[in-house]
Amino acid sequence: MHIRPAQPSDLESIAQLHTQSWRTAYRGMLSDAYLDGDLLADRRALWTGRFAQPADNQSIVVAEIEHTIVGLACSFGDHDARWGTLLENLHVAQGFKGSGIGAQLVSHVARWCVHTHRTDRLHLWVLAPNLAAQGFYQRMGASAVEESAWDAPDGNRIAELRFAWPSLASLLQQPQDAAIGPATPAPHTSTRSS
């Protein structure tokens, strides 16, 4: 498994991974009509914009195995004066959940925070009903620090929690690239991502 910066040529693979991730993780949270509709076009539009007009503080990386994208992370450095860098998207392909790819992507983002933005702060939003994601981030050292509500694209309003790390030291000690193969499917560990 190799983590590398995403390229515009990765857009379709990224949009498809994001779509499948939402359809799996958010079933029962977002409406079936929205999830079963033209979600791919919606996600494709999001990533087209991020590649066409990237924010100065944006980082998109992908995890690749044998030239196939199996994970992605999108972050915005120093997004919040109090909480630091925002991990906006974290998605891992279904057949690779539980294999350590998500943890390695989070660690990669932590290293980027420290080296690029000189910050030791990282946060993300997780939907309150997404207990699997909350458990994943807690095991990685984050904790819920704030509650809010997300105006979801299907018109629903869903409770969400901000998770943050008090320090990135433990994340910086994770191995970088590793030999990883398919794993037994595990619960989805997505952030509440736009």
Side-chain angles (χ1 to χ4, degrees), residues 41-137:
D42 183 56
R43 300 297 86 196
R44 190 181 289 129
L46 171 79
W47 293 104
T48 297
R50 286 186 179 173
F51 280 110
Q53 297 180 321
D56 291 340
N57 64 339
Q58 173 182 285
S59 169
I60 306 171
V61 294
V62 293
E64 212 174 38
I65 295 178
E66 296 179 3
H67 307 292
T68 299
I69 292 174
V70 296
L72 76 98
C74 179
S75 306
F76 294 91
D78 284 338
H79 179 267
D80 185 274
R82 179 175 181 189
W83 301 109
T85 294
L86 172 66
L87 175 57
E88 177 71 14
N89 299 90
L90 178 69
H91 302 284
V92 175
Q94 282 294 31
F96 292 88
K97 289 186 184 349
S99 66
I101 292 173
Q104 287 193 46
L105 284 166
V106 173
S107 295
H108 183 91
V109 169
R111 284 189 291 277
W112 176 76
C113 288
V114 171
H115 297 300
T116 306
H117 294 280
R118 306 277 188 240
T119 181
D120 194 35
R121 294 174 294 166
L122 177 65
H123 70 108
L124 58 102
W125 290 98
V126 180
L127 294 183
N130 194 346
L131 300 180
Q134 292 176 44
F136 170 77
Y137 293 116

